């Protein structure tokens, strides 16, 4: 095998601009260079300028390296396909390996693409809903040993980046930007469907029009799993939503660690939920989330109240550690537990249960280290609300305080009539200005309180 290095300016006219587009369509020339991976066994394409292209296909043993962020690709209008994809998509077999995207800008030209289009035969049913496929700039399905480092994805029509059926993939030091954000148009950032294992994401951030990140192992097929995920360093620039973890069927989502999330979001922080109504409660294993500090901006969705964490589904163990919720602009909760799916809200869950609906069970929930600071904008906030079944709930090292002079209201933990806790161990808790630290104690089978102070 020979890895051939090709300088883009030697084989194509690079007269486009990664921000504004224009120039000469050089899709054919760039694609011919990428096909060298099939002829020689490998290729390193060095982008030393900006290329106007429609759709590019990469093969195994391919590296695309952009010399600066002004180098890269601008997608031609009405391409309505991935800007970059691997050749053969397969939900079960990994058909590509050793692909790297290093540096540069990938501009999807959002205003000149359609949201979704009919599935093509080569997609083999991957990443589609009802035969339709979203327009995604960078999309891989069936890949092993993928490295994405230092890239910028700009103006994506639906998701910015989609990865399905993967093993040993790393994304780091990368940013998504959305000058043309549209309301409720699924302009997600990073989107992952199973099967997948060994996913590492470090130091990523940016602006999105829906979820910044979605880890949804079986969202597409109801059976695939994603395991062994590390997300470390997420910076949100006024995202609609932060991170969604979704299991809708038998697909397992397990051994997921998310830490160091900061910046600002509009409506919803973390959704951990099966989401789809009338299906199972999902299959969540161990999820660990640590060190979250987010600023709250005005919500842009009104189908349910805003929140930081909304948790539903069948979950073996969820740990939330070192969470800061400082001066929210409304009464959004830090955590709501037990919602069956997205259309059930605190406004409707009583009627839902009365009609025979089932809430979901979290077997073990550990909340360790929470700081809540309030002014007068979050009156009557329930910091934590339980609407479904919890087996063991450990709540410790919590400080919740209203500013001096703010009206006393709200509660730290409310266990609602539709919810229950088998064992609640509450310790080392201080609340200042709340009406009560814990309400709904009659819905707790075993209650242990140690060093719980209400001021």
């Amino acid at each position: 095998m020979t890895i051939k290095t090709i300088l883009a300016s030697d084989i194509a006219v690079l007269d486009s601009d990664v921000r504004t587009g224009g120039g000469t369509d050089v899709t054919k020339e760039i694609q011919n260079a990428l096909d060298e991976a099939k002829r020689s066994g490998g290729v390193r394409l060095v982008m030393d300028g900006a290329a106007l292209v429609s759709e590019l296909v990469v093969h195994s043993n391919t590296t695309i390296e952009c010399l600066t962020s002004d180098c890269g690709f601008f997608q031609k209008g009405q391409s309505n396909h991935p800007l970059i994809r691997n050749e053969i998509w397969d939900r079960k077999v990994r058909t590509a390996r050793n692909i790297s995207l290093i540096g540069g800008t990938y501009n999807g030209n959002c205003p000149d693409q359609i949201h979704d289009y009919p599935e093509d035969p080569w997609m083999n049913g991957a990443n589609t809903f009802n035969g339709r496929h979203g327009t995604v700039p960078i999309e891989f399905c069936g890949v092993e040993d993928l490295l994405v480092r230092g890239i910028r994805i700009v103006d994506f029509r639906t998701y910015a980046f989609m990865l399905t059926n993967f093993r040993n993939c790393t994304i780091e030091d990368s940013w998504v930007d959305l000058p043309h954000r549209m309301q409720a148009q699924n302009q997600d950032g990073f989107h992952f469907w199973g099967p997948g294992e060994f996913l590492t994401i470090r130091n990523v951030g940016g602006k999105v029009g829906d979820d910044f990140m979605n880890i949804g192992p079986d969202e597409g097929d109801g059976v695939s799993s994603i395991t062994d995920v590390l997300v470390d360093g997420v910076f949100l620039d006024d995202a609609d939503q932060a991170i969604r973890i979704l299991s809708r069927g038998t697909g397992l989502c397990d051994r997921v660690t998310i830490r160091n999330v900061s910046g600002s979001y509009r409506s919803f922080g973390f959704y951990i939920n099966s989401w789809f109504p009338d299906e199972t409660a999902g299959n969540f294993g161990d999820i660990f989330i640590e060190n979250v500090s987010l600023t709250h901006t005005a919500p842009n969705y009104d189908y349910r109240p805003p929140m930081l964490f909304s948790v539903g589904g069948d979950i073996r163990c969820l740990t939330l550690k070192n969470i800061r919720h400082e001066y929210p602009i409304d009464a959004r909760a830090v955590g709501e537990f037990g919602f069956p799916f997205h259309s059930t809200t605190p406004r409707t869950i009583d009627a839902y249960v009365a009609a025979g609906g089932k809430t979901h069970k979290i077997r073990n929930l550990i909340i360790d280290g929470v700081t809540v600071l309030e002014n007068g904008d979050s009156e009557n906030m329930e910091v934590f609300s339980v609407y479904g079944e919890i087996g063991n709930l450990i709540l410790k090292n919590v400080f919740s305080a209203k500013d001096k002079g703010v009206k006393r209201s709200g509660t730290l933990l409310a266990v609602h009539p539709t919810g229950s806790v088998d064992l609640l161990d509450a310790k080392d808790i201080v609340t200042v200005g709340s009406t009560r630290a814990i309400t709904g104690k009659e819905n707790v089978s075993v209650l242990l309180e140690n060093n719980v102070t209400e001021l």
Side-chain angles (χ1 to χ4, degrees), residues 402-413:
K402 301 183 189 303
D403 284 350
K404 187 175 182 180
V406 174
K407 178 182 176 181
R408 181 178 293 274
S409 69
T411 185
L412 176 66
L413 172 65

Side-chain angles (χ1 to χ4, degrees), residues 168-455:
N168 190 26
C169 295
T170 299
I171 302 168
E172 57 189 11
D173 302 331
S174 295
W175 196 263
V176 296
D177 203 0
L178 195 56
H180 295 92
R181 176 160 57 182
M182 304 175 184
Q183 172 66 11
Q185 289 289 296
N186 299 114
Q187 292 175 291
D188 290 14
F190 298 94
H191 210 94
F192 305 98
W193 282 2
E197 58 181 344
F198 310 129
L199 173 65
T200 302
I201 305 168
R202 295 191 186 95
N203 301 330
V204 296
K207 186 185 297 291
V208 297
D210 202 57
D211 304 321
F212 177 82
M213 187 179 299
N214 183 317
I215 303 170
D218 60 353
E219 184 176 1
D221 63 7
V223 297
S224 291
S225 298
I226 291 179
T227 63
D228 305 290
V229 177
L230 171 64
V231 180
D232 190 353
V234 173
F235 309 97
L236 303 179
D237 181 10
D238 199 30
D240 289 2
Q241 303 172 191
I243 297 175
R244 184 190 307 273
I245 303 175
L246 187 159
S247 172
R248 67 184 293 185
T250 59
L252 175 64
C253 189
D254 196 15
R255 300 189 296 279
V256 176
T257 297
I258 300 171
R259 57 166 60 104
N260 301 325
V261 181
S262 65
S264 59
Y265 75 101
R266 294 182 173 194
S267 295
F268 314 126
F270 294 75
Y271 261 118
I272 304 172
N273 208 298
S274 55
W275 188 256
F276 291 84
D278 304 320
E279 297 193 14
T280 74
N283 188 12
F284 300 92
D286 182 79
I287 299 172
F288 180 90
I289 300 175
E290 177 184 34
N291 195 21
V292 175
S293 180
L294 290 171
T295 299
H296 326 93
T297 61
N300 61 319
Y301 293 111
D302 60 5
Y303 66 86
R304 58 144 300 146
M307 51 71 192
L308 182 56
F309 288 89
S310 183
V311 181
D314 286 347
I315 301 172
R316 185 173 70 243
C317 185
L318 170 64
T319 301
L320 306 179
K321 187 172 183 180
N322 295 340
I323 311 298
R324 292 179 293 284
H325 193 64
E326 298 181 358
Y327 300 113
I329 62 173
D330 47 42
R332 65 185 68 191
V334 173
E336 305 164 345
F337 305 101
F339 286 137
F341 53 84
H342 77 284
S343 59
T344 299
T345 76
R347 296 185 292 243
T348 63
I349 194 166
D350 290 342
Y352 167 82
V353 172
K358 302 296 184 183
T359 55
H360 293 171
K361 183 168 184 177
I362 304 168
R363 279 177 271 174
N364 300 283
L365 174 60
I366 302 164
I367 303 172
D368 180 5
V370 178
T371 301
V372 179
L373 302 179
E374 296 182 67
N375 54 27
D377 295 331
S378 52
E379 187 176 355
N380 296 319
M381 180 175 73
E382 292 180 0
V383 177
F384 297 108
S385 304
V386 176
Y387 296 98
E389 297 179 62
I390 297 179
N392 303 306
L393 170 55
I394 309 298
L395 180 64
K396 63 180 180 178
N397 299 322
V398 177
F399 176 69
S400 176
K402 301 183 189 303
D403 284 350
K404 187 175 182 180
V406 174
K407 178 182 176 181
R408 181 178 293 274
S409 69
T411 185
L412 176 66
L413 172 65
V415 184
H416 289 258
T418 59
S420 64
V421 180
D422 294 340
L423 168 65
L424 170 58
D425 185 359
K427 55 189 173 186
D428 299 328
I429 294 170
V430 176
T431 65
V432 180
S434 297
T435 303
R436 292 293 303 276
I438 302 173
T439 61
K441 293 181 179 181
E442 64 276 12
N443 302 313
V444 178
S445 298
V446 177
L447 173 61
L448 304 176
E449 291 185 89
N450 183 13
N451 196 24
V452 177
T453 303
E454 302 175 58
L455 299 173

